[in-house]
Amino acid sequence: MADQARSEIIKDNPIGKGLDAFRASYTAVCENQSIPSTLDSLGKLGHDELQNIALVLLSTLQILPAARLLRSSGGRTLFSELPRLNSAITSDDFDLDGIKPLLNAALADSPDDVLIWDQVYNAVTESTPPLRPIASSVQQTPWLRNTSSFANSSEHRKYVDAVLKEELGPMYVGLRNFHETYFGDVADLETASAAVFKMCMEGNSPIFCEGWSGWPEDANQDHVLGWFAELSEKLAAFAEDYKSTPTRQRRPLAQPNKPIDGSIAKRKMDIGFVNDPEARKDSRCHWSQILVPGELKSNRSADIASEAWLDLGRYAREVLAAQDTRRFVLGFTICGSLMRVWEFDRLGGIASKQFDINEDGLQFVSTILAFLWMNEEQLGFDPTVITENGLRFIEIQRKGTTERLIIDGLMTRARCISGRATTCWKAHREGDPQTPLVIKDSWQYTEREEEGELLREATDKGVVNVARYYHHEIVRVLGTDDDVRSNVRKGLDIMKAENYRPERSMISPSRSTVGARKGRSSSTTGLKRSSSQTGAPLPPSKRSCSTSPTKAGSNALPNRVHRRVILRDYGKPIYKAGSRAALLTALEGCIEGHESLRKAGFLHRDISINNLMMNEDEENPSWPSFLIDLDLGIKETRREASGARGKTGTRAFMAIGALLGEQHTFMHDLESIFWVLFWICIHYDGPNQERVVAQFDKWNYVDMEELAKLKLGTVAKETIFMKTITDNFTSYFEPLIPWVNRLRKIVFPRDRPQEQEDERLYSRIKGILREACEDLT
């Protein structure tokens, strides 16, 4: 980039107060060390404190507007380069003295924007040494449990809640400017709210006078529900004359004792706003109709993570799962008369300051009218998925032209809040309905390699039986890359939350507790996350902070970006195969795809029943069977972790060694293929006959070490294994019992996982599958 153009970008996008939060964090660190928060104190900080301060600065710089426009010498934006530096800083090999010029520039009494960005350039281009290769899972992307990984699950609440807590992580409340951020651009809201509240206080019988008329003094849930619904209707009617543009009608819904359709397990919701203007107390509603979920508690003290917050999170998960273009969900909690507004996205949940609806009536009026008046984009729907004349479509820029892709239908939508949250649609180019495409949207950590780049390279190398590349992009909303921190949260800073604690977002590697295990490589297993991390801060004497075996950089103010990949191969999961023989043939083809992928230099790392696909339609030009989902794929030569937090497999299908922390190899993927077939034979009694089996349902919920023990106990002795599969295989798959046992013997020689890599395992597995197929036919 020319110096003149760079100077203009810096001038047009001043840092302003953008580093205030970083400077406040520096002050807090200095105060904890009992030293003055001056520039000279940088040299007095220890390694961990200096490392954490640097990580805060990089995370803060990354969300500044200029970072998306300034480009490094390699052509990438600084927004893309800073996560790499973030990861490098956490390496043992990184010399923190190299980052001090940038820290000095940022902490100067009269900071110079040009000097700050110059130091960013220097740090990015000169201070990123190669990381040491260590054969340890510390370097691999670590496991965080996620509700999207459940397979054939009952989703019983007592199990789901524990995983959902871990998925959400710390939920930050009391963020400043929350209402202005999400409601500030709702047309006419400020004027209408003031006018309506004034009307509420007028007349001989005002409905607001030192509190709301009719408010149940005991805050009884049923009474509050009735009061809330009635008052919301009145406020909407009062405000009608102040709305300059018509809004699609919606109304409050109060059905605390009636399950809402569309969830796997029965789920009830106290109150919310729905897109059905005719909805009444006895109406049957679906989660796809819920625009704003709410949770009521009669007790003020229920405004904590383990009660109202988690309950609302459970509803937000259902809303996100049922609405395939929802990017985030707004909601609210009312505990006693204390209200908060919430936002749930792919990083977790954040909330406004608490306010008393009987003391701040104007705020309450404004909140209700906002929920009634917000347009779909303001409510979190993806504006890049367009609906016209009954058709849904997206538009992409490819090879210099605009292509319109018509969406034929939803294929899959991950059931989670925080995470990759993958959504896949079947689609076709406008005018070419005979050639199927797949649109895949997901929210990836910014540090993670782009799946689209991996797929393009794999396709160019002629890899067979892996979904072929068509296009990829970062989704843009409101003219900018769609990420959580800058776009969805619009720059709201969790470091300014009332319950923010730096140690909950930035953990030094020295505080990670790990234990080694012998195997194909050295390994580590991490501690469980403490449940206290999901709630309000504990007193200093009781606050705990357990860690995952990962780098500090991956715990420092994470961010996810909305990526879109278009694939040229469409199919169905292999468990929907039309026959047993077709299933085995498809599985063999997927193994060939994995082998071809590996020969091209890639490792898949996420073998599951939903990532092994087949095509039984003779008119479909896609591969007959193929692998999808390289979200967690890596180039096999890569030795360091991505720096992104997340998982390295779908838990029910993970290899025993991977569960225990061994560095992931192709042997783990081949073992996962065994577990996929094992699982299908237990949970499917034919192509469309799915069931839940209690004995294996808990594989979705137990911790990794326990799951590893369960799996090892399943295969460690032939008599036990034969009894397990004889008792649990469905009648449809009973003919496969001897063949699955033969697979067990080669995948687990001497009744345990192989300790040495053996490429011959590819051909041996395929040979048994081929023999089994011949036997069936």
Side-chain angles (χ1 to χ4, degrees):
M1 177 179 294
D3 290 342
Q4 182 179 356
R6 191 167 96 179
S7 297
E8 289 177 359
I9 290 174
I10 294 173
K11 181 180 178 181
D12 293 342
N13 297 272
I15 294 176
K17 297 182 179 181
L19 296 182
D20 284 1
F22 156 70
R23 295 189 183 103
S25 182
Y26 178 69
T27 298
V29 168
C30 289
E31 288 176 353
N32 287 339
Q33 300 293 315
S34 300
I35 57 177
S37 57
T38 61
L39 203 55
D40 293 339
S41 294
L42 265 180
K44 301 176 183 178
L45 295 178
H47 179 276
D48 288 355
E49 290 76 19
L50 191 60
Q51 186 183 64
N52 282 344
I53 283 296
L55 293 171
V56 173
L57 176 57
L58 296 185
S59 297
T60 306
L61 287 166
Q62 189 187 8
I63 64 173
L64 295 178
R68 294 177 177 272
L69 302 172
L70 296 168
R71 293 187 177 274
S72 68
S73 58
R76 295 167 60 93
T77 64
L78 291 182
F79 176 84
S80 301
E81 293 283 11
L82 283 168
R84 295 170 180 257
L85 180 57
N86 184 309
S87 296
I89 284 176
T90 64
S91 166
D92 292 339
D93 294 339
F94 191 87
D95 184 359
L96 288 172
D97 286 341
I99 204 73
K100 284 184 178 178
L102 173 57
L103 291 168
N104 283 323
L107 290 168
D109 292 335
S110 300
D112 182 334
D113 285 13
V114 174
L115 178 59
I116 290 173
W117 288 116
D118 281 348
Q119 294 299 342
V120 173
Y121 274 98
N122 292 339
V124 164
T125 57
E126 299 175 10
S127 303
T128 310
L131 300 179
R132 261 189 332 218
I134 306 172
S136 164
S137 67
V138 170
Q139 297 170 279
Q140 299 192 83
T141 308
W143 172 272
L144 292 179
R145 289 196 297 174
N146 184 283
T147 56
S148 68
S149 67
F150 299 158
N152 304 89
S153 172
S154 62
E155 291 209 359
H156 194 289
R157 177 173 167 176
K158 69 179 180 180
Y159 301 124
V160 172
D161 280 3
V163 180
L164 184 59
K165 268 188 182 181
E166 186 172 331
E167 175 184 313
L168 287 170
M171 290 189 279
Y172 295 104
V173 302
L175 272 76
R176 303 172 192 171
N177 304 316
F178 190 98
H179 288 80
E180 294 85 347
T181 298
Y182 287 105
F183 300 156
D185 58 352
V186 178
D188 310 311
L189 180 63
E190 186 175 354
T191 302
S193 298
V196 168
F197 186 56
K198 183 179 178 182
M199 293 170 64
C200 292
M201 296 186 293
E202 293 175 342
N204 295 327
S205 300
I207 60 177
F208 187 91
C209 180
E210 297 183 357
W212 291 102
S213 173
W215 169 258
E217 289 300 325
D218 60 356
N220 175 274
Q221 186 184 61
D222 290 339
H223 296 160
V224 172
L225 287 169
W227 170 87
F228 183 94
E230 182 180 349
L231 180 59
S232 297
E233 297 280 10
K234 286 182 180 178
L235 297 178
F238 288 164
E240 196 59 40
D241 293 338
Y242 297 93
K243 184 66 175 168
S244 60
T245 56
T247 305
R248 185 176 178 181
Q249 283 192 310
R250 57 190 70 137
R251 60 174 287 112
L253 182 74
Q255 296 181 334
N257 300 313
K258 181 173 290 190
I260 298 177
D261 294 338
S263 52
I264 293 176
K266 289 184 178 181
R267 295 280 185 263
K268 302 173 184 178
M269 183 184 73
D270 288 344
I271 197 163
F273 291 88
V274 296
N275 64 3
D276 180 4
E278 305 301 322
R280 294 294 183 267
K281 190 171 183 178
D282 296 327
S283 300
R284 191 84 178 181
C285 282
H286 192 279
W287 285 107
S288 62
Q289 298 175 284
I290 307 298
L291 298 177
V292 180
E295 171 66 9
L296 299 183
K297 298 288 186 184
S298 60
N299 195 332
R300 288 177 170 229
S301 64
D303 186 26
I304 58 175
S306 59
E307 295 194 44
W309 305 1
L310 184 61
D311 287 343
L312 185 64
R314 198 181 306 115
Y315 308 151
R317 176 176 178 260
E318 296 294 345
V319 172
L320 286 166
Q323 300 174 22
D324 63 353
T325 63
R326 203 74 185 261
R327 297 160 55 236
F328 61 89
V329 171
L330 293 173
F332 63 94
T333 53
I334 300 179
C335 300
S337 59
L338 299 177
M339 186 174 193
R340 287 191 197 274
V341 180
W342 285 81
E343 185 270 336
F344 289 91
D345 54 44
R346 301 316 184 176
L347 285 178
I350 58 175
S352 70
K353 292 191 173 199
Q354 192 184 66
F355 69 94
D356 193 314
I357 63 176
N358 283 314
E359 293 178 6
D360 195 343
L362 177 58
Q363 181 84 298
F364 180 69
V365 171
S366 177
T367 301
I368 299 304
L369 292 184
F371 288 150
L372 290 169
W373 283 5
M374 297 174 85
N375 62 37
E376 289 197 344
E377 185 174 333
Q378 292 164 340
L379 283 169
F381 289 90
D382 187 348
T384 69
V385 180
I386 304 164
T387 301
E388 284 183 7
N389 302 319
L391 291 177
R392 291 202 302 170
F393 61 88
I394 65 168
E395 291 183 338
I396 61 173
Q397 298 297 317
R398 182 173 178 268
K399 296 182 177 179
T401 62
T402 300
E403 291 187 12
R404 177 172 289 188
L405 305 185
I406 308 299
I407 295 176
D408 298 316
L410 177 68
M411 294 172 61
T412 183
R413 170 85 164 174
R415 295 180 53 79
C416 67
I417 297 176
S418 178
R420 291 179 291 162
T422 301
T423 302
C424 293
W425 297 277
K426 182 186 179 187
H428 66 270
R429 287 189 301 272
E430 188 174 43
D432 185 16
Q434 303 305 314
T435 305
L437 297 172
V438 172
I439 302 169
K440 174 185 176 181
D441 276 23
S442 61
W443 293 80
Q444 303 286 349
Y445 281 121
T446 51
E447 301 92 337
R448 192 178 293 287
E449 292 180 80
E450 292 193 42
E451 181 189 14
E453 293 291 350
L454 295 178
L455 281 168
R456 177 159 56 186
E457 186 174 342
T459 300
D460 289 345
K461 288 183 174 180
V463 170
V464 301
N465 293 359
V466 173
R468 288 165 287 193
Y469 173 86
Y470 185 78
H471 174 77
H472 79 285
E473 64 185 20
I474 293 178
V475 176
R476 292 179 65 82
V477 173
L478 297 175
T480 188
D481 290 351
D482 192 23
D483 71 318
V484 173
R485 290 181 58 199
S486 300
N487 220 26
V488 172
R489 295 184 178 178
K490 305 180 183 181
L492 282 176
D493 187 355
I494 62 170
M495 291 192 294
K496 295 180 180 178
E498 292 172 351
N499 64 335
Y500 175 77
R501 294 292 182 273
E503 62 267 27
R504 294 165 69 189
S505 289
M506 295 177 297
I507 302 171
S508 167
S510 64
R511 296 174 62 184
S512 177
T513 303
V514 296
R517 171 187 177 269
K518 294 181 179 180
R520 285 189 287 267
S521 62
S522 61
S523 64
T524 59
T525 49
L527 298 177
K528 293 182 185 178
R529 176 194 297 270
S530 165
S531 61
S532 67
Q533 286 207 346
T534 63
L538 296 171
S541 62
K542 296 184 179 180
R543 188 177 298 125
S544 73
C545 190
S546 60
T547 69
S548 298
T550 184
K551 302 186 218 175
S554 64
N555 287 283
L557 298 181
N559 194 17
R560 287 187 182 271
V561 64
H562 187 180
R563 291 174 178 164
R564 180 168 288 160
V565 178
I566 317 295
L567 305 167
R568 291 187 333 200
D569 289 282
Y570 165 77
K572 61 185 179 182
I574 61 169
Y575 59 81
K576 295 184 178 182
S579 68
R580 292 179 293 258
L583 166 67
L584 298 177
T585 300
L587 194 57
E588 181 184 353
C590 289
I591 294 171
E592 289 175 355
H594 189 279
E595 189 172 18
S596 177
L597 190 67
R598 182 167 178 265
K599 286 177 179 177
F602 303 96
L603 187 61
H604 191 280
R605 302 200 311 165
D606 190 16
I607 299 296
S608 75
I609 57 173
N610 290 311
N611 290 340
L612 306 178
M613 308 295 286
M614 67 180 303
N615 165 29
E616 294 185 289
D617 181 0
E618 293 182 359
E619 303 297 320
N620 182 352
S622 304
W623 295 114
S625 58
F626 54 98
L627 289 172
I628 62 169
D629 196 355
L630 288 185
D631 276 352
L632 299 180
I634 59 169
K635 293 183 179 180
E636 203 168 18
T637 54
R638 196 192 79 177
R639 304 297 294 176
E640 77 278 5
S642 66
R645 300 186 302 176
K647 59 186 181 180
T648 51
T650 303
R651 50 189 298 117
F653 313 108
M654 288 176 69
I656 294 169
L659 287 167
L660 292 173
E662 292 179 358
Q663 183 157 330
H664 207 110
T665 73
F666 73 94
M667 297 290 285
H668 294 109
D669 280 356
L670 291 178
E671 183 185 327
S672 290
I673 287 171
F674 167 84
W675 290 116
V676 165
L677 182 58
F678 173 85
W679 190 270
I680 289 173
C681 291
I682 289 171
H683 291 89
Y684 294 89
D685 200 7
N688 296 299
Q689 301 294 320
E690 180 181 350
R691 66 175 183 166
V692 174
V693 180
Q695 178 182 343
F696 298 98
D697 191 10
K698 64 181 178 181
W699 285 23
N700 289 299
Y701 311 113
V702 297
D703 66 38
M704 290 189 291
E705 287 195 30
E706 184 176 349
L707 181 54
K709 291 175 183 177
L710 288 171
K711 288 189 168 187
L712 188 59
T714 300
V715 298
K717 192 173 182 180
E718 184 171 11
T719 54
I720 295 176
F721 182 73
M722 288 299 295
K723 177 172 174 41
T724 299
I725 60 178
T726 302
D727 290 349
N728 291 285
F729 273 25
T730 62
S731 58
Y732 181 80
F733 281 113
E734 280 181 1
L736 294 189
I737 286 176
W739 299 104
V740 173
N741 187 42
R742 281 187 61 184
L743 284 174
R744 180 194 69 85
K745 291 178 180 179
I746 64 168
V747 175
F748 303 99
R750 296 180 298 279
D751 299 328
R752 62 178 182 268
Q754 293 195 47
E755 296 184 359
Q756 301 297 323
E757 294 183 5
D758 184 359
E759 294 188 357
R760 294 173 299 174
L761 190 58
Y762 278 109
S763 59
R764 297 180 70 188
I765 292 176
K766 288 190 293 183
I768 291 175
L769 293 175
R770 201 172 301 122
E771 285 185 56
C773 188
E774 292 171 357
D775 181 66
L776 291 172
T777 56

